[in-house]
Amino acid sequence: MHGYGPTPQQQTTSQPSPATLTTVRVVLVTVTVLSCGLLGWVAMLRLAIVTRRPRDWVLLVVVMVLNAALFAFIVSTPDDPDDMSDASVLLMLLWIVALLAGVITYYLYVEIRHYSSLRSLGSLPPYTAPAHPAPLPYQQHPAQQQQQHQQQHQQPNPYTVQTPPPTPTPAPQRLDQVRAELDELSDYLRKENREGEGR
């Protein structure tokens, strides 16, 4: 049980480099082929140790039994190849080819797949919970938040007296124009009155 603080990370097993894995695979396949499958159990033993699966341990035992039986069959054959029957030669060749193909194919397929899955899982960083929640960029006091809210949504004060906007005063040019028109009109009316009195 852990208290506050970062959780301890699990120890991750270091994986061998791709070059090392390739070298080991080449050596084990070469040993299996050169021994005509009799040392195929070495590749299966490595695979069982690497994967640690019960199926691979069972297959290791099966390959060891087949290797022992093949060795016993080879020992029981006559020393002179001419004395061997065609059926014995064919059986031995099929046994060796099947053992070679089965061991090499299964070993390479399972080991490559195993390390590929480990590599894909290892590329994800382990999750660690933060020790403390990250603070917000800027935390405000509730009074400051309320004040900002009021400033953004201000209601009009019902007790303030709103003065009506002032009426626009006519421009001085307009007054002069009206006066001039009135003067012309009064002159025109006087002139009409004089002409009426002269008749």
Side-chain angles (χ1 to χ4, degrees), residues 74 77-90 92:
I74 292 173
T77 58
D79 293 335
D80 189 4
D82 294 335
D83 295 340
M84 289 181 63
S85 65
D86 292 340
S88 298
V89 173
L90 184 62
M92 187 172 65

Side-chain angles (χ1 to χ4, degrees), residues 5 20 38 48 66 71 74 77 106 110 117 185 194:
T20 304
L38 291 176
L66 289 174
F71 183 73
I74 292 173
T77 58
Y106 184 78
V110 174
S117 64
L185 183 60
R194 286 179 191 158

